[in-house]
């Protein structure tokens, strides 16, 4: 794990007063959150609270109407999504987005960063460099495929994967980029109990090796097992923060979820 | 060897030189459309840029058009790739951020403008009469038709082979993998740090450069170019070739070029034999009908083309 620059308490990721409007509604309405180095932070809230939109803003898939985002000390809110990845931000999608005709291991290889072979010239004029990078990538991708338990499907096209397996593929693909922080959008949704346990295990294993994680999750059991710190969002805003137990007991939080049901 | 046989071989080589020039063009379109999904309906314009660039740089001095540089043919061909590539990069930079139908309309318009420039910028292009006396490869052997066309065939085939192998290397390596990733899910590719705009622009530029090279190669083989060579009919032919052969597959692109050009030539010969000279100009539109019918049949019965897309993504990953 790299030594923190500004001391152990400095936030690796901090988003301040982010705003995103869609026509009349503000999906994200002045939301802030911080994730410290080495933490697993849970981002929870009722359906439509703006959690996924928040991820999109942080990752750059959508641009914020206002607010600022810092990753490891650098302001990233004006950077395109692909530049943010280069700075160490990795994410998965709530609805997995595999590259369907590519094999599982090739899907993972796409995640590799700073590849000379992704430029035109080296493919013709520095072939040995491209070849050796590719061999390393292939080995690393196979290891990650193994890590998420998809080895038996490594050469199958990703389109044959089940929903839960796609979640695992996305995890491996994001890890291929060696991110400093992983944004996981409902990694356990729609996953059977056995697979769910294995996903939770994988995330904890990553964290034990120093990976910082921000995770959106509805399953409170999963949240309780993963996180010591939880941020609750409702209607685009920060509603509460604390340990999983504290927020679970917070009447405001309960009401937000019930209100969501009534609406 | 009888004179007849030599004649047939010469005709066959002549036919194949043109067919393989088209095949080069198809490789360019295959890169843009087959692998990247970029809808270029202005192919003729980029071919024209290549053809004129090389003609102007290599012809002897003439008061009919810009020229007199007398540079070697190889220099003309490289310059053709550069100018056609730059034109593609410019068109691409202006449109690739927009949706694909804007690219289609823009490329169509660009081709029309280029045709008009070729037709009207007389001091540059020679106007409607075009540019003649373009040096032909192996030109000093032109009085031995079989040898001359045979050597030209070998040259074009060699260029085609080098391009096809070069593209293969590119497309079955990391660059091609990212290109495919972007085509399959742009958002996911961005979330993995890839820049769709850069990749598309590169593919469009490289494809355009290849089209420019094809224009130069063919212009030098015939020795003469004129604006009417570069109209939408050419664009249509190249599309037909790629669809028939199979988009996304270099071998398919070459096979499609030979088949469609064969059908075009045979139907041209048939019209020459069947119709009196006075009606032949009008009857030649039957050639378009022949190609169109073949396209329709293809789309109905074998929509992926003769060979269809190859799904090898990386030469580094073992396929089962
Ligand atoms: N592209 C969009 N256009 C219009 N409205 C949108 C768009 N994306 C999200 N919204 C709206 O913004 C609000 C927040 O959506 P978001 O997907 O961020 O919620 P969420 O907290 O992730 O919900 P869930 O738990 O159901 O995934 C919702 O009301 C949604 O309908
Ligand atoms: Mg969501």
């Amino acid at each position: 794990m790299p030594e923190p620059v500004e001391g152990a308490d400095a936030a690796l990721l901090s988003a301040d007063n982010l705003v995103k409007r869609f026509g009349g509604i503000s999906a994200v309405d002045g939301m802030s959150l911080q994730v410290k180095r080495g933490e697993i932070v849970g981002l929870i809230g009722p359906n439509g609270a703006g959690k996924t939109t928040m991820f999109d803003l942080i990752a750059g898939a959508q641009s914020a109407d206002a607010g600022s985002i810092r990753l490891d000390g650098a302001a990233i809110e004006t950077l395109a999504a692909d530049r943010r990845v280069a700075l160490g931000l990795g994410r998965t999608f709530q609805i997995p987005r595999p590259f369907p005709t590519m094999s599982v291991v090739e899907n993972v290889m796409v995640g590799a960063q700073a590849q000379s072979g992704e430029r035109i010239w080296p493919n013709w004029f520095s072939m040995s460099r491209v070849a050796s990078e590719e061999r390393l990538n292939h080995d690393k991708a196979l290891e990650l495929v193994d890590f998420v338990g998809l080895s038996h499907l490594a050469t199958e096209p990703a389109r044959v994967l089940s929903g839960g397996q796609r979640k695992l593929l996305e995890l491996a693909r994001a890890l291929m980029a060696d991110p400093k922080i992983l944004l996981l959008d409902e990694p356990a949704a729609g996953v059977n109990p056995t697979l769910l346990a294995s996903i939770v295990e994988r995330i904890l294993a990553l964290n034990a090796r120093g990976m910082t994680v921000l995770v959106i999750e509805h399953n409170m059991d999963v949240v309780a097992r993963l996180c010591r710190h939880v941020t609750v969002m409702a209607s685009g805003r920060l509603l509460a923060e604390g340990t999983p137990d504290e927020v679970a007991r917070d009447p405001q939080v309960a009401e937000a979820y019930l209100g969501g049901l009534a609406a | 060897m009888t004179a007849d046989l030599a004649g047939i071989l010469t005709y066959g080589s002549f036919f194949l030189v043109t067919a393989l020039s088209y095949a080069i063009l198809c490789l360019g379109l295959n890169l843009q459309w087959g692998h990247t999904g970029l809808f270029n309906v202005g192919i003729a314009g980029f071919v024209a840029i290549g053809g004129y660039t090389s003609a102007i740089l290599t012809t002897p001095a003439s008061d009919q058009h810009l020229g007199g540089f007398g540079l070697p043919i190889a220099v003309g061909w490289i310059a053709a790739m550069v100018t056609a590539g730059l034109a593609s990069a410019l068109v691409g930079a202006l449109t690739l951020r927009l949706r694909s139908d804007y690219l289609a309309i823009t490329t169509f318009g660009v081709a029309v403008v280029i045709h008009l420039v070729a037709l009207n910028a007389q001091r540059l292009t020679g106007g409607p009469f075009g540019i003649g006396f373009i040096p032909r490869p192996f030109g000093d052997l032109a009085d031995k038709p079989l040898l001359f066309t045979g050597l030209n065939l070998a040259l074009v085939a060699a260029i085609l082979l080098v391009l096809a192998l070069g593209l293969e290397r590119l497309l079955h390596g990391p660059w091609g993998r990212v290109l495919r990733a972007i085509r399959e899910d742009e958002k996911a590719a961005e979330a993995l740090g890839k820049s769709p705009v850069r990749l598309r622009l590169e593919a469009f530029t490289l494809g355009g450069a290849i089209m420019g090279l094809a224009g130069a190669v063919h212009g030098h083989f015939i020795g003469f170019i004129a604006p009417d060579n570069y109209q939408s009919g050419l664009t249509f032919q190249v599309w037909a070739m790629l669809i028939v052969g199979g988009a996304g597959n270099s071998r398919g692109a070459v096979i499609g070029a030979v088949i469609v050009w064969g059908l075009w030539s045979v139907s041209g010969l048939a019209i020459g034999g069947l119709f009196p000279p006075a009606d032949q100009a009008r009857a030649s539109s039957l050639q378009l009908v022949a190609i169109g019918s073949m396209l329709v049949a293809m789309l109905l019965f074998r929509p992926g083309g003769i060979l269809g897309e190859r799904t090898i993504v990386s030469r580094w990953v073992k396929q089962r």
Side-chain angles (χ1 to χ4, degrees):
Chain A
M1 181 181 169
E3 209 57 43
V5 190
E6 305 163 43
D9 271 358
L12 177 60
L13 174 75
S14 68
D16 286 303
N17 286 308
L18 292 185
V19 176
K20 181 69 187 178
R21 296 183 204 92
F22 296 113
I25 53 162
S26 297
V28 173
D29 194 8
M31 175 70 187
S32 305
L33 63 79
Q34 282 80 36
V35 185
K36 285 183 205 142
R37 215 177 282 275
E39 260 189 331
I40 304 180
V41 171
L43 179 58
I44 67 169
N47 292 121
K51 304 179 296 293
T52 296
T53 308
M54 189 71 185
F55 264 26
D56 278 353
L57 299 183
I58 295 172
Q62 304 191 49
S63 59
D65 295 321
S68 64
I69 310 163
R70 298 183 80 79
L71 175 66
D72 210 2
I76 60 167
E77 63 270 7
T78 58
L79 299 179
D82 54 286
R83 299 289 313 130
R84 301 188 195 190
V85 178
L87 289 179
L89 203 129
R91 65 109 32 121
T92 66
F93 293 94
Q94 179 168 356
I95 298 162
R97 313 182 70 129
F99 306 118
T101 72
M102 292 167 55
S103 71
V104 166
V105 64
E106 281 163 343
N107 262 270
V108 177
M109 286 173 83
V110 174
Q113 298 301 297
Q115 296 301 298
S116 51
E118 287 178 14
R119 302 255 157 204
I120 289 179
W121 300 116
N123 283 284
W124 297 327
F125 302 114
S126 317
M127 280 183 290
S128 61
R129 178 149 55 105
V130 173
S132 70
E133 283 179 0
E134 279 287 277
R135 276 190 292 271
L136 287 177
N137 278 338
H138 188 217
D139 291 347
K140 182 174 166 189
L142 282 176
E143 270 171 36
L144 285 169
V145 168
D146 188 44
F147 173 69
V148 298
L150 293 176
S151 286
H152 57 299
L153 297 166
T155 56
E156 295 292 331
R159 88 178 94 80
V160 309
L161 299 189
S162 73
Q165 291 169 332
R166 287 172 192 217
K167 294 251 165 201
L168 288 163
L169 172 61
E170 286 228 328
L171 179 61
R173 217 167 54 171
L175 287 172
M176 187 73 190
D178 290 322
K180 291 175 188 163
I181 180 168
L182 260 180
L183 275 47
L184 304 175
D185 197 342
E186 301 194 21
V191 170
N192 78 50
T194 336
L195 211 49
L196 187 138
S198 99
I199 288 180
V200 169
E201 244 169 63
R202 298 294 183 282
I203 298 171
L204 288 172
L206 284 169
N207 181 247
R209 287 190 238 158
M211 178 70 70
T212 308
V213 180
L214 175 63
V215 54
I216 296 176
E217 188 49 64
H218 283 297
N219 182 331
M220 280 313 282
D221 285 342
V222 171
V223 173
R225 283 174 59 195
L226 287 177
C227 321
R228 246 170 293 161
H229 189 85
V230 177
T231 298
V232 189
M233 224 181 144
S235 314
R237 293 167 201 249
L238 178 68
L239 184 70
E241 278 188 281
T243 65
D245 271 354
E246 284 166 6
V247 300
R249 272 184 270 113
D250 190 329
Q252 265 188 300
V253 173
E255 201 202 331
Y257 273 90
L258 289 174
L261 278 182
Chain B
M1 189 159 46
T2 66
D4 261 4
L5 183 58
I8 290 170
L9 282 179
T10 307
Y11 181 82
S13 309
F14 190 92
F15 163 82
L16 277 178
V17 172
T18 304
L20 295 191
S21 307
Y22 274 110
I24 295 177
L25 256 174
C26 279
L27 288 184
L29 182 63
N30 190 33
L31 178 56
Q32 294 181 340
W33 169 252
H35 292 280
T36 322
L38 298 170
F39 198 60
N40 183 350
V41 286
I43 297 166
F46 300 100
V47 181
I49 291 177
Y52 275 98
T53 301
S54 190
I56 289 170
L57 289 178
T58 57
T59 43
S62 158
D63 52 7
Q64 303 297 310
H65 60 85
L66 180 67
F69 302 101
L71 294 171
I73 294 175
V75 175
W77 289 4
I78 291 168
M81 293 187 80
V82 171
T83 49
L86 283 178
S88 306
L90 189 68
V91 171
L94 294 174
T95 50
L96 290 182
R97 282 169 187 280
L98 303 175
R99 295 203 331 274
S100 56
D101 35 352
Y102 286 92
L103 182 67
I105 291 166
T106 309
T107 51
F108 185 77
V110 165
V112 169
V113 169
I114 289 170
H115 181 244
L116 287 175
V117 169
L119 208 51
N120 294 298
Q122 201 146 353
R123 294 173 59 184
L124 179 69
T125 63
F129 306 112
I131 297 180
F133 302 107
I134 303 173
R136 306 170 74 180
F138 312 108
D140 36 356
L141 298 173
D143 53 340
K144 298 188 182 109
L146 180 56
L147 188 60
F148 170 76
T149 41
L151 285 172
N152 269 285
L153 176 57
L155 178 63
V156 177
I159 293 173
L160 181 64
L161 188 68
V162 167
L163 276 177
L165 291 177
L167 285 174
E168 195 108 333
R169 209 160 251 295
L170 201 52
L171 289 165
H172 294 165
W175 191 81
R177 185 169 59 232
V178 175
L179 208 57
R180 177 183 289 258
I182 287 168
R183 206 183 55 177
E184 296 204 341
D185 193 326
E186 188 172 335
K187 284 248 174 263
E190 272 183 320
L192 295 169
K194 313 306 166 191
S195 164
V197 172
R198 171 175 77 82
L199 265 292
R200 277 202 214 103
L201 199 55
E202 286 179 357
F204 194 67
T205 302
L206 187 56
I210 292 171
M211 291 173 182
L213 176 67
V217 167
H218 196 247
H220 280 261
F221 176 63
I222 302 296
F224 165 75
I225 59 173
D228 287 354
N229 300 354
Y230 308 112
Q231 300 197 67
S232 48
L234 171 62
T235 300
F236 169 73
Q237 282 174 336
V238 179
W239 270 101
M241 289 166 178
L242 189 63
I243 291 168
V244 167
N249 186 317
S250 306
R251 262 170 251 181
V254 174
I255 289 171
V258 174
I259 288 178
V260 170
W261 184 243
L263 183 62
W264 182 266
S265 305
V266 168
S267 56
L269 286 177
I271 288 164
L274 292 176
F275 292 87
D279 291 338
Q280 279 177 14
R282 267 185 298 162
S284 69
S285 54
L286 287 174
Q287 285 178 289
L288 285 178
V289 175
I291 304 291
S293 313
M294 182 173 195
L295 262 187
V296 171
M298 229 30 225
L299 291 172
L300 283 177
F301 300 113
R302 209 176 156 82
I306 291 173
L307 288 187
E309 179 162 358
R310 289 223 289 167
T311 46
I312 292 180
V313 182
S314 173
R315 52 209 299 267
W316 309 101
V317 177
K318 283 191 203 74
Q319 306 284 315
R320 283 166 320 120

PDB file of all heavy atoms in Angstrom, chain B residues 84-107:
ATOM      1  N   ALA B  84      -4.977  12.411 -47.854  1.00  0.00           N
ATOM      2  CA  ALA B  84      -6.290  11.808 -47.619  1.00  0.00           C
ATOM      3  C   ALA B  84      -6.484  11.547 -46.123  1.00  0.00           C
ATOM      4  O   ALA B  84      -7.586  11.707 -45.589  1.00  0.00           O
ATOM      5  CB  ALA B  84      -6.437  10.512 -48.413  1.00  0.00           C
ATOM      6  N   GLY B  85      -5.389  11.168 -45.443  1.00  0.00           N
ATOM      7  CA  GLY B  85      -5.480  10.951 -44.004  1.00  0.00           C
ATOM      8  C   GLY B  85      -5.778  12.255 -43.263  1.00  0.00           C
ATOM      9  O   GLY B  85      -6.616  12.284 -42.358  1.00  0.00           O
ATOM     10  N   LEU B  86      -5.103  13.334 -43.670  1.00  0.00           N
ATOM     11  CA  LEU B  86      -5.352  14.628 -43.019  1.00  0.00           C
ATOM     12  C   LEU B  86      -6.791  15.073 -43.247  1.00  0.00           C
ATOM     13  O   LEU B  86      -7.461  15.557 -42.325  1.00  0.00           O
ATOM     14  CB  LEU B  86      -4.390  15.693 -43.562  1.00  0.00           C
ATOM     15  CG  LEU B  86      -2.960  15.626 -43.024  1.00  0.00           C
ATOM     16  CD1 LEU B  86      -2.095  16.709 -43.672  1.00  0.00           C
ATOM     17  CD2 LEU B  86      -2.967  15.809 -41.502  1.00  0.00           C
ATOM     18  N   ALA B  87      -7.269  14.910 -44.495  1.00  0.00           N
ATOM     19  CA  ALA B  87      -8.658  15.298 -44.782  1.00  0.00           C
ATOM     20  C   ALA B  87      -9.612  14.493 -43.911  1.00  0.00           C
ATOM     21  O   ALA B  87     -10.578  15.035 -43.360  1.00  0.00           O
ATOM     22  CB  ALA B  87      -8.962  15.079 -46.261  1.00  0.00           C
ATOM     23  N   SER B  88      -9.332  13.207 -43.742  1.00  0.00           N
ATOM     24  CA  SER B  88     -10.195  12.370 -42.900  1.00  0.00           C
ATOM     25  C   SER B  88     -10.134  12.829 -41.451  1.00  0.00           C
ATOM     26  O   SER B  88     -11.159  12.890 -40.764  1.00  0.00           O
ATOM     27  CB  SER B  88      -9.763  10.906 -42.975  1.00  0.00           C
ATOM     28  OG  SER B  88      -9.711  10.472 -44.297  1.00  0.00           O
ATOM     29  N   ALA B  89      -8.925  13.131 -40.989  1.00  0.00           N
ATOM     30  CA  ALA B  89      -8.784  13.566 -39.606  1.00  0.00           C
ATOM     31  C   ALA B  89      -9.593  14.834 -39.364  1.00  0.00           C
ATOM     32  O   ALA B  89     -10.260  14.986 -38.332  1.00  0.00           O
ATOM     33  CB  ALA B  89      -7.308  13.813 -39.285  1.00  0.00           C
ATOM     34  N   LEU B  90      -9.563  15.738 -40.355  1.00  0.00           N
ATOM     35  CA  LEU B  90     -10.302  16.995 -40.223  1.00  0.00           C
ATOM     36  C   LEU B  90     -11.805  16.733 -40.172  1.00  0.00           C
ATOM     37  O   LEU B  90     -12.509  17.187 -39.256  1.00  0.00           O
ATOM     38  CB  LEU B  90      -9.957  17.894 -41.410  1.00  0.00           C
ATOM     39  CG  LEU B  90     -10.464  19.319 -41.317  1.00  0.00           C
ATOM     40  CD1 LEU B  90      -9.731  20.048 -40.196  1.00  0.00           C
ATOM     41  CD2 LEU B  90     -10.257  20.047 -42.643  1.00  0.00           C
ATOM     42  N   VAL B  91     -12.293  15.963 -41.152  1.00  0.00           N
ATOM     43  CA  VAL B  91     -13.721  15.631 -41.166  1.00  0.00           C
ATOM     44  C   VAL B  91     -14.101  14.909 -39.879  1.00  0.00           C
ATOM     45  O   VAL B  91     -15.127  15.196 -39.255  1.00  0.00           O
ATOM     46  CB  VAL B  91     -14.058  14.751 -42.388  1.00  0.00           C
ATOM     47  CG1 VAL B  91     -15.488  14.219 -42.300  1.00  0.00           C
ATOM     48  CG2 VAL B  91     -13.860  15.534 -43.672  1.00  0.00           C
ATOM     49  N   GLY B  92     -13.236  13.983 -39.465  1.00  0.00           N
ATOM     50  CA  GLY B  92     -13.512  13.214 -38.259  1.00  0.00           C
ATOM     51  C   GLY B  92     -13.570  14.100 -37.032  1.00  0.00           C
ATOM     52  O   GLY B  92     -14.489  14.003 -36.225  1.00  0.00           O
ATOM     53  N   ALA B  93     -12.584  14.985 -36.894  1.00  0.00           N
ATOM     54  CA  ALA B  93     -12.540  15.838 -35.714  1.00  0.00           C
ATOM     55  C   ALA B  93     -13.783  16.715 -35.632  1.00  0.00           C
ATOM     56  O   ALA B  93     -14.272  17.021 -34.544  1.00  0.00           O
ATOM     57  CB  ALA B  93     -11.291  16.712 -35.747  1.00  0.00           C
ATOM     58  N   LEU B  94     -14.302  17.089 -36.789  1.00  0.00           N
ATOM     59  CA  LEU B  94     -15.474  17.958 -36.779  1.00  0.00           C
ATOM     60  C   LEU B  94     -16.768  17.190 -36.519  1.00  0.00           C
ATOM     61  O   LEU B  94     -17.767  17.776 -36.140  1.00  0.00           O
ATOM     62  CB  LEU B  94     -15.593  18.696 -38.122  1.00  0.00           C
ATOM     63  CG  LEU B  94     -14.473  19.689 -38.406  1.00  0.00           C
ATOM     64  CD1 LEU B  94     -14.583  20.256 -39.804  1.00  0.00           C
ATOM     65  CD2 LEU B  94     -14.511  20.817 -37.367  1.00  0.00           C
ATOM     66  N   THR B  95     -16.773  15.884 -36.757  1.00  0.00           N
ATOM     67  CA  THR B  95     -18.055  15.170 -36.692  1.00  0.00           C
ATOM     68  C   THR B  95     -18.101  13.981 -35.746  1.00  0.00           C
ATOM     69  O   THR B  95     -19.179  13.546 -35.386  1.00  0.00           O
ATOM     70  CB  THR B  95     -18.439  14.633 -38.086  1.00  0.00           C
ATOM     71  OG1 THR B  95     -17.323  13.937 -38.609  1.00  0.00           O
ATOM     72  CG2 THR B  95     -18.842  15.748 -39.009  1.00  0.00           C
ATOM     73  N   LEU B  96     -16.962  13.429 -35.341  1.00  0.00           N
ATOM     74  CA  LEU B  96     -17.025  12.170 -34.618  1.00  0.00           C
ATOM     75  C   LEU B  96     -17.664  12.298 -33.249  1.00  0.00           C
ATOM     76  O   LEU B  96     -18.168  11.333 -32.696  1.00  0.00           O
ATOM     77  CB  LEU B  96     -15.634  11.553 -34.471  1.00  0.00           C
ATOM     78  CG  LEU B  96     -15.049  11.028 -35.776  1.00  0.00           C
ATOM     79  CD1 LEU B  96     -13.705  10.386 -35.529  1.00  0.00           C
ATOM     80  CD2 LEU B  96     -15.981  10.040 -36.427  1.00  0.00           C
ATOM     81  N   ARG B  97     -17.631  13.487 -32.692  1.00  0.00           N
ATOM     82  CA  ARG B  97     -18.298  13.653 -31.413  1.00  0.00           C
ATOM     83  C   ARG B  97     -19.805  13.595 -31.596  1.00  0.00           C
ATOM     84  O   ARG B  97     -20.548  13.290 -30.672  1.00  0.00           O
ATOM     85  CB  ARG B  97     -17.926  14.997 -30.788  1.00  0.00           C
ATOM     86  CG  ARG B  97     -16.561  14.973 -30.154  1.00  0.00           C
ATOM     87  CD  ARG B  97     -16.110  16.366 -29.787  1.00  0.00           C
ATOM     88  NE  ARG B  97     -14.737  16.345 -29.323  1.00  0.00           N
ATOM     89  CZ  ARG B  97     -14.389  15.995 -28.090  1.00  0.00           C
ATOM     90  NH1 ARG B  97     -15.299  15.656 -27.211  1.00  0.00           N
ATOM     91  NH2 ARG B  97     -13.120  15.983 -27.745  1.00  0.00           N
ATOM     92  N   LEU B  98     -20.212  13.912 -32.824  1.00  0.00           N
ATOM     93  CA  LEU B  98     -21.648  13.906 -33.098  1.00  0.00           C
ATOM     94  C   LEU B  98     -22.107  12.492 -33.422  1.00  0.00           C
ATOM     95  O   LEU B  98     -21.320  11.580 -33.569  1.00  0.00           O
ATOM     96  CB  LEU B  98     -21.945  14.841 -34.270  1.00  0.00           C
ATOM     97  CG  LEU B  98     -21.481  16.271 -34.045  1.00  0.00           C
ATOM     98  CD1 LEU B  98     -21.703  17.091 -35.281  1.00  0.00           C
ATOM     99  CD2 LEU B  98     -22.214  16.875 -32.868  1.00  0.00           C
ATOM    100  N   ARG B  99     -23.406  12.340 -33.588  1.00  0.00           N
ATOM    101  CA  ARG B  99     -23.925  11.010 -33.868  1.00  0.00           C
ATOM    102  C   ARG B  99     -23.546  10.567 -35.275  1.00  0.00           C
ATOM    103  O   ARG B  99     -23.192  11.365 -36.135  1.00  0.00           O
ATOM    104  CB  ARG B  99     -25.440  11.005 -33.688  1.00  0.00           C
ATOM    105  CG  ARG B  99     -25.847  11.268 -32.245  1.00  0.00           C
ATOM    106  CD  ARG B  99     -27.226  10.734 -31.925  1.00  0.00           C
ATOM    107  NE  ARG B  99     -28.139  10.690 -33.062  1.00  0.00           N
ATOM    108  CZ  ARG B  99     -28.895  11.716 -33.473  1.00  0.00           C
ATOM    109  NH1 ARG B  99     -28.811  12.871 -32.855  1.00  0.00           N
ATOM    110  NH2 ARG B  99     -29.709  11.577 -34.484  1.00  0.00           N
ATOM    111  N   SER B 100     -23.649   9.269 -35.508  1.00  0.00           N
ATOM    112  CA  SER B 100     -23.117   8.711 -36.749  1.00  0.00           C
ATOM    113  C   SER B 100     -23.823   9.231 -37.994  1.00  0.00           C
ATOM    114  O   SER B 100     -23.233   9.316 -39.058  1.00  0.00           O
ATOM    115  CB  SER B 100     -23.213   7.194 -36.702  1.00  0.00           C
ATOM    116  OG  SER B 100     -24.546   6.818 -36.457  1.00  0.00           O
ATOM    117  N   ASP B 101     -25.109   9.587 -37.882  1.00  0.00           N
ATOM    118  CA  ASP B 101     -25.779  10.072 -39.085  1.00  0.00           C
ATOM    119  C   ASP B 101     -25.210  11.430 -39.520  1.00  0.00           C
ATOM    120  O   ASP B 101     -25.213  11.757 -40.700  1.00  0.00           O
ATOM    121  CB  ASP B 101     -27.304  10.121 -38.925  1.00  0.00           C
ATOM    122  CG  ASP B 101     -27.722  10.484 -37.521  1.00  0.00           C
ATOM    123  OD1 ASP B 101     -26.845  10.545 -36.644  1.00  0.00           O
ATOM    124  OD2 ASP B 101     -28.915  10.714 -37.290  1.00  0.00           O
ATOM    125  N   TYR B 102     -24.677  12.206 -38.566  1.00  0.00           N
ATOM    126  CA  TYR B 102     -24.022  13.454 -38.970  1.00  0.00           C
ATOM    127  C   TYR B 102     -22.763  13.154 -39.768  1.00  0.00           C
ATOM    128  O   TYR B 102     -22.452  13.839 -40.737  1.00  0.00           O
ATOM    129  CB  TYR B 102     -23.657  14.299 -37.749  1.00  0.00           C
ATOM    130  CG  TYR B 102     -24.835  14.956 -37.104  1.00  0.00           C
ATOM    131  CD1 TYR B 102     -25.521  14.347 -36.072  1.00  0.00           C
ATOM    132  CD2 TYR B 102     -25.285  16.209 -37.548  1.00  0.00           C
ATOM    133  CE1 TYR B 102     -26.614  14.944 -35.486  1.00  0.00           C
ATOM    134  CE2 TYR B 102     -26.368  16.821 -36.962  1.00  0.00           C
ATOM    135  CZ  TYR B 102     -27.040  16.180 -35.930  1.00  0.00           C
ATOM    136  OH  TYR B 102     -28.121  16.775 -35.352  1.00  0.00           O
ATOM    137  N   LEU B 103     -22.059  12.123 -39.346  1.00  0.00           N
ATOM    138  CA  LEU B 103     -20.851  11.736 -40.070  1.00  0.00           C
ATOM    139  C   LEU B 103     -21.215  11.351 -41.501  1.00  0.00           C
ATOM    140  O   LEU B 103     -20.546  11.740 -42.461  1.00  0.00           O
ATOM    141  CB  LEU B 103     -20.150  10.581 -39.370  1.00  0.00           C
ATOM    142  CG  LEU B 103     -18.843  10.123 -40.028  1.00  0.00           C
ATOM    143  CD1 LEU B 103     -17.770  11.187 -39.915  1.00  0.00           C
ATOM    144  CD2 LEU B 103     -18.345   8.818 -39.423  1.00  0.00           C
ATOM    145  N   ALA B 104     -22.307  10.598 -41.653  1.00  0.00           N
ATOM    146  CA  ALA B 104     -22.728  10.169 -42.986  1.00  0.00           C
ATOM    147  C   ALA B 104     -23.024  11.379 -43.867  1.00  0.00           C
ATOM    148  O   ALA B 104     -22.511  11.503 -44.984  1.00  0.00           O
ATOM    149  CB  ALA B 104     -23.953   9.262 -42.881  1.00  0.00           C
ATOM    150  N   ILE B 105     -23.819  12.300 -43.340  1.00  0.00           N
ATOM    151  CA  ILE B 105     -24.193  13.467 -44.146  1.00  0.00           C
ATOM    152  C   ILE B 105     -22.960  14.297 -44.473  1.00  0.00           C
ATOM    153  O   ILE B 105     -22.776  14.761 -45.596  1.00  0.00           O
ATOM    154  CB  ILE B 105     -25.248  14.312 -43.390  1.00  0.00           C
ATOM    155  CG1 ILE B 105     -26.551  13.535 -43.318  1.00  0.00           C
ATOM    156  CG2 ILE B 105     -25.447  15.651 -44.069  1.00  0.00           C
ATOM    157  CD1 ILE B 105     -27.554  14.099 -42.329  1.00  0.00           C
ATOM    158  N   THR B 106     -22.088  14.459 -43.481  1.00  0.00           N
ATOM    159  CA  THR B 106     -20.898  15.277 -43.704  1.00  0.00           C
ATOM    160  C   THR B 106     -19.989  14.653 -44.757  1.00  0.00           C
ATOM    161  O   THR B 106     -19.509  15.340 -45.665  1.00  0.00           O
ATOM    162  CB  THR B 106     -20.114  15.458 -42.396  1.00  0.00           C
ATOM    163  OG1 THR B 106     -21.015  15.897 -41.385  1.00  0.00           O
ATOM    164  CG2 THR B 106     -19.002  16.476 -42.568  1.00  0.00           C
ATOM    165  N   THR B 107     -19.751  13.339 -44.643  1.00  0.00           N
ATOM    166  CA  THR B 107     -18.861  12.712 -45.626  1.00  0.00           C
ATOM    167  C   THR B 107     -19.466  12.804 -47.021  1.00  0.00           C
ATOM    168  O   THR B 107     -18.755  13.032 -48.004  1.00  0.00           O
ATOM    169  CB  THR B 107     -18.574  11.238 -45.273  1.00  0.00           C
ATOM    170  OG1 THR B 107     -19.804  10.570 -45.037  1.00  0.00           O
ATOM    171  CG2 THR B 107     -17.685  11.136 -44.059  1.00  0.00           C
TER     172      THR B 107
END
